[in-house]
Amino acid sequence: MTEQNRPLDVVILAAGQGTRMKSSLPKVLHPVAGRPMVAWAVKTARDLGARQVVVVTGHGAEQVEAALRGTGVVFARQAQQLGTGHAFLQGLGALDAQAGADVLVLYGDTPLLRPETLRELLDDHRARGSAFTVLTGELPDATGYGRIIRDAHGRVERIVEQKDATAEERAVQEFNSGVYLMDARARDLARRITNDNAGGEYYLTDLLGLYRAEGADVQAFKLADPGEVMGANDRSGLADAESIIRRRITQAHMRAGVTIPMPETVYIEDTVQVGRDVTLEPGVILRGQTRIDEGVTVGAYSVVTDSVLERSVKIKAHSVLEGAQIGAGSDVGPFARLRPGTTLGEQVHIGNFVETKNAQLASGVKAGHLAYLGDVTIGAETNVGAGTIVANFDGVNKHRTQIGAGVFIGSNSTLIAPRAVGDAAFIAAGSALHDDVPEGAMAVARGKQRNIEGWSRRYWGGLREKVQVKLPWLAGWLDRQR
């Protein structure tokens, strides 16, 4: 086995309580750009090609494990919070032993650490033949971090925690990130860590000294950007991490050919796929397993979640899509709402204030204004008039309506489900359908109009005093009728 092809195991420490978050949600489950913070560490480990990934849980263990179930990770419980060294030992115990495997330590609350940085760390560690490499950075004021103490020759000698450091050591600008890469000896050496320190904890940092005592080569790999290991310890830090990752995501999409005129206003989760020549107008939010094909425009302040937008779709401003599939060349909005189960064929038009739910609309369907289409299948080239309602709920159960191709539905019609409307049928405006409509038929389901002459003068005349106060224009009209 060569240095470069040794297997890599990753232990992610995620047992802390995170009291500064002031939340009932475990700290590592607070989301950043669509993923819980700990899920970013898992993704990074997977991107590195890790053979095994162990997540050490403690506070809120059941919630953390539930959130990561299905990702292929193994869990280890730290029942008592006795320090990072103790947590690491629990993680090692859950790993399958394999001779020669390197072990990388990551954390569940540092979502900004990029796989590219860790790949450089791994390559440097193996190229030097190092036994233990610590990832370090430099800050003008490293308060809160452990410091890297070097000997007269510039070699890493030890790591001292802030609470144990002297005034001279606290002035050191090189800090310990807490990320370590070590060889297989870590399994044995970690058992020698003691809690003989000011905090009475088992510090993982003591591993460096134990490696040195073995005569092993210890190295440091310095970060170009120390901000990558910034932890999100409170809501402010969470917002900072969100901003940085969001900027990375939008920049990556723009480099890949996406137009985002105001990237600082756009929110795109890491799981979203966006094709070339897509335009995302200001205020757009893209979430979940959304896929946007080439040439799509998403209008200002629209929200798209778990949806597919095929080529050349146009989503107009202030539209909300969730669990929808939009066929090529269709347009939606403005102010439309497409709920889960909505599927639009090609060249479908959904206009302003139209809502769909579990609705399948074939190619060329038009629903331009103020309609509710729930639990319905609509055939090709059907026109849905303004104010149309598919009344799918009877108070107990939902029912489905089938509407054929080439149907004309007049404005302000109500289809009381379950209904079937045949191809090329015509529904007169204002109809309330409680029966099926055969193919090619016209349905008229409304009462006959009756005009009662002089009704307004008799009715409102009896209320003239109140009318004078609240509706002076009507009082004037009544006076003119005398």
Side-chain angles (χ1 to χ4, degrees):
M1 185 183 302
T2 67
E3 293 280 348
Q4 295 303 319
N5 65 9
R6 280 200 307 267
L8 176 69
D9 293 334
V10 177
V11 175
I12 299 172
L13 305 186
Q17 185 172 358
T19 54
R20 282 181 284 173
M21 280 291 182
K22 300 188 185 309
S23 174
S24 57
L25 185 70
K27 173 184 176 181
V28 298
L29 291 186
H30 282 265
V32 174
R35 298 179 191 268
M37 283 196 287
V38 67
W40 282 99
V42 172
K43 179 180 184 295
T44 296
R46 293 297 184 209
D47 289 346
L48 288 172
R51 180 181 68 101
Q52 297 178 93
V53 179
V54 175
V55 178
V56 181
T57 62
H59 178 72
E62 294 83 2
Q63 290 174 270
V64 176
E65 291 167 12
L68 294 177
R69 197 159 289 126
T71 62
V73 303
V74 176
F75 300 105
R77 292 275 183 98
Q78 187 188 22
Q80 292 180 285
Q81 310 295 295
L82 303 178
T84 52
H86 178 258
F88 180 58
L89 268 177
Q90 312 313 302
L92 288 175
L95 287 172
D96 294 334
Q98 179 168 330
D102 288 326
V103 180
L104 175 66
V105 177
L106 298 177
Y107 297 85
D109 62 351
T110 54
L112 300 178
L113 191 53
R114 298 180 303 123
E116 296 85 351
T117 297
L118 293 174
R119 174 57 61 189
E120 293 173 3
L121 166 68
L122 188 62
D123 290 345
D124 183 79
H125 173 85
R126 290 176 173 177
R128 293 183 184 215
S130 177
F132 183 100
T133 301
V134 53
L135 185 65
T136 71
E138 280 194 7
L139 288 171
D141 181 2
T143 299
Y145 289 98
R147 306 304 202 279
I148 301 298
I149 308 303
R150 296 177 179 266
D151 64 19
H153 301 286
R155 294 174 298 211
V156 178
E157 186 175 75
R158 59 195 173 90
I159 301 169
V160 60
E161 294 293 342
Q162 169 88 19
K163 65 183 74 173
D164 298 316
T166 65
E168 183 180 0
E169 289 168 339
R170 290 179 184 179
V172 172
Q173 295 181 343
E174 187 177 13
F175 67 89
N176 170 34
S177 72
V179 175
Y180 311 105
L181 181 60
M182 59 202 84
D183 65 18
R185 279 175 284 186
R187 295 176 181 275
D188 295 325
L189 294 178
R191 295 188 180 94
R192 303 184 198 173
I193 297 174
T194 70
N195 63 347
D196 185 18
N197 52 63
E201 296 183 358
Y202 295 87
Y203 291 152
L204 186 52
T205 52
D206 289 350
L207 262 181
L208 186 149
L210 292 169
Y211 266 95
R212 281 179 57 87
E214 292 282 304
D217 184 52
V218 173
Q219 299 287 345
F221 182 82
K222 193 175 293 186
L223 282 160
D225 176 13
E228 285 193 44
V229 291
M230 178 185 74
N233 297 313
D234 55 23
R235 305 300 176 114
S236 176
L238 196 66
D240 290 341
E242 178 81 45
S243 177
I244 291 168
I245 289 182
R246 186 161 57 87
R247 186 164 58 250
R248 288 179 186 173
I249 291 170
T250 54
Q251 287 176 346
H253 284 302
M254 288 188 288
R255 286 193 293 268
V258 178
T259 297
I260 309 178
M262 295 180 66
E264 68 277 10
T265 71
V266 170
Y267 176 90
I268 309 174
E269 292 185 347
D270 177 64
T271 50
V272 172
Q273 302 176 51
V274 185
R276 293 190 306 174
D277 295 319
V278 167
T279 298
L280 304 178
E281 294 181 356
V284 165
I285 297 174
L286 305 177
R287 291 192 170 116
Q289 302 302 315
T290 291
R291 190 192 84 221
I292 300 179
D293 292 345
E294 294 185 9
V296 170
T297 297
V298 183
Y301 304 103
S302 293
V303 181
V304 183
T305 304
D306 295 327
S307 297
V308 175
L309 279 56
E310 297 180 2
R311 294 173 64 95
S312 302
V313 162
K314 186 174 182 62
I315 307 299
K316 298 177 184 177
H318 297 280
S319 295
V320 178
L321 286 69
E322 181 182 1
Q325 179 153 347
I326 314 303
S330 295
D331 66 282
V332 174
F335 294 98
R337 184 185 181 196
L338 275 55
R339 292 166 58 192
T342 294
T343 301
L344 307 185
E346 296 185 359
Q347 304 295 327
V348 171
H349 168 63
I350 297 291
N352 50 282
F353 301 104
V354 173
E355 179 180 352
T356 65
K357 190 273 294 185
N358 196 18
Q360 289 77 55
L361 279 59
S363 60
V365 170
K366 293 178 175 57
H369 328 271
L370 302 157
Y372 172 68
L373 308 175
D375 296 301
V376 63
T377 300
I378 303 178
E381 304 298 332
T382 285
N383 184 85
V384 179
T388 294
I389 296 173
V390 177
N392 57 330
F393 185 49
D394 64 7
V396 178
N397 298 306
K398 300 287 181 68
H399 301 282
R400 191 159 190 86
T401 292
Q402 301 283 336
I403 299 173
V407 173
F408 182 90
I409 303 175
S411 296
N412 206 36
S413 294
T414 301
L415 285 68
I416 303 169
R419 288 282 68 79
V421 178
D423 293 347
F426 190 103
I427 299 171
S431 293
L433 296 187
H434 49 78
D435 288 319
D436 293 345
V437 182
E439 178 180 343
M442 182 177 78
V444 182
R446 60 193 183 203
K448 184 178 179 180
Q449 181 172 325
R450 186 164 64 102
N451 298 334
I452 302 173
E453 296 291 337
W455 181 91
S456 292
R457 186 170 54 193
R458 293 195 300 274
Y459 178 76
W460 290 111
L463 301 173
R464 195 183 185 296
E465 290 184 7
K466 292 183 178 179
V467 168
Q468 179 65 45
V469 173
K470 294 189 176 181
L471 299 171
W473 64 268
L474 181 55
W477 180 82
L478 287 169
D479 290 340
R480 289 192 298 274
Q481 305 307 304
R482 293 180 177 179

